[in-house]
Amino acid sequence: MVSSEYERRIAARFATFDQDGNGYIDRSDFGAAAKALLAEFGTAARSDKGQALYAGAEAFWQGMAGIADRDGDQRITRDEFVNGAVKRLRDNPERFAEIARPFLHAALDIADSDGDGRATVADTVRVLRALGAPEEVAQGAAAVLDADADGKVGEAEIVPAFARYFTIAE
């Protein structure tokens, strides 16, 4: 039996992906996330970074659909998300990290203003806000991601943290 606390946390994670709030996750939600990030950082969609972000969003969508879209209708309902993606990925968070990695890598590249492969904590907050996180949640998450307190967040910190956030236990 799934607890109400677990259900609440899953609903919050589902809402993170359901960018347009229509009650299901589909390809357009991943495109909307990419578009929001590009707009936040003033990056052109046709630039190399923009194209990498859209390619990462498509790869992420394909991976999620392959895991969770049980009826093959090209959209993931909340039930499919809870009973498909979360349960499968909870047992293998590394798989989820690999599905998300191309998108996360490209998002980090867009937020990386000095080309060192890492984003500042402030730019990490901007990424999280562009993806729909409230300011206080984004601030707290970005601070936690900067585990060594050097003011920067890299892929080695983001990918496992992202997997942990979405692969929660009951």
Side-chain angles (χ1 to χ4, degrees), residues 40-41 111-113 118-130 135 138-139 141-143 146 150-153:
E40 175 63 29
F41 287 92
D112 175 11
S113 60
R118 302 179 310 151
T120 65
V121 170
D123 283 339
T124 302
V125 170
R126 289 175 63 196
V127 168
L128 294 170
R129 293 221 354 100
E135 179 70 31
Q139 293 266 352
D146 181 21
D150 68 350
K152 296 275 194 148
V153 177

Side-chain angles (χ1 to χ4, degrees), residues 10 54 74 123 133:
I10 292 300
Y54 277 114
Q74 293 298 297
D123 283 339

Side-chain angles (χ1 to χ4, degrees), residues 13-136:
R13 275 110 174 122
F14 179 82
T16 301
F17 283 112
D18 184 13
Q19 292 280 303
D20 58 12
N22 64 0
Y24 56 85
I25 302 165
D26 64 8
R27 177 178 277 112
S28 67
D29 291 310
F30 287 81
K35 185 177 180 179
L37 278 172
L38 293 173
E40 175 63 29
F41 287 92
T43 304
R46 292 188 180 255
S47 69
D48 289 344
K49 287 183 178 186
Q51 290 298 298
L53 185 64
Y54 277 114
E58 177 63 20
F60 197 0
W61 159 247
Q62 290 294 329
M64 285 291 291
I67 288 170
D69 183 18
R70 303 320 312 158
D71 61 9
D73 66 354
Q74 293 298 297
R75 56 187 196 179
I76 301 167
T77 64
R78 185 179 180 282
D79 187 55
E80 286 174 321
F81 184 77
V82 171
N83 294 311
V86 174
K87 286 184 180 178
R88 283 188 178 85
L89 296 171
R90 180 182 59 213
D91 296 332
N92 189 356
E94 295 79 24
R95 166 95 193 264
F96 188 67
E98 289 312 310
I99 290 168
R101 185 180 300 277
F103 179 76
L104 296 173
H105 178 82
L108 181 63
D109 194 33
I110 286 171
D112 175 11
S113 60
D114 64 6
D116 71 351
R118 302 179 310 151
T120 65
V121 170
D123 283 339
T124 302
V125 170
R126 289 175 63 196
V127 168
L128 294 170
R129 293 221 354 100
L131 295 175
E135 179 70 31
E136 62 280 355

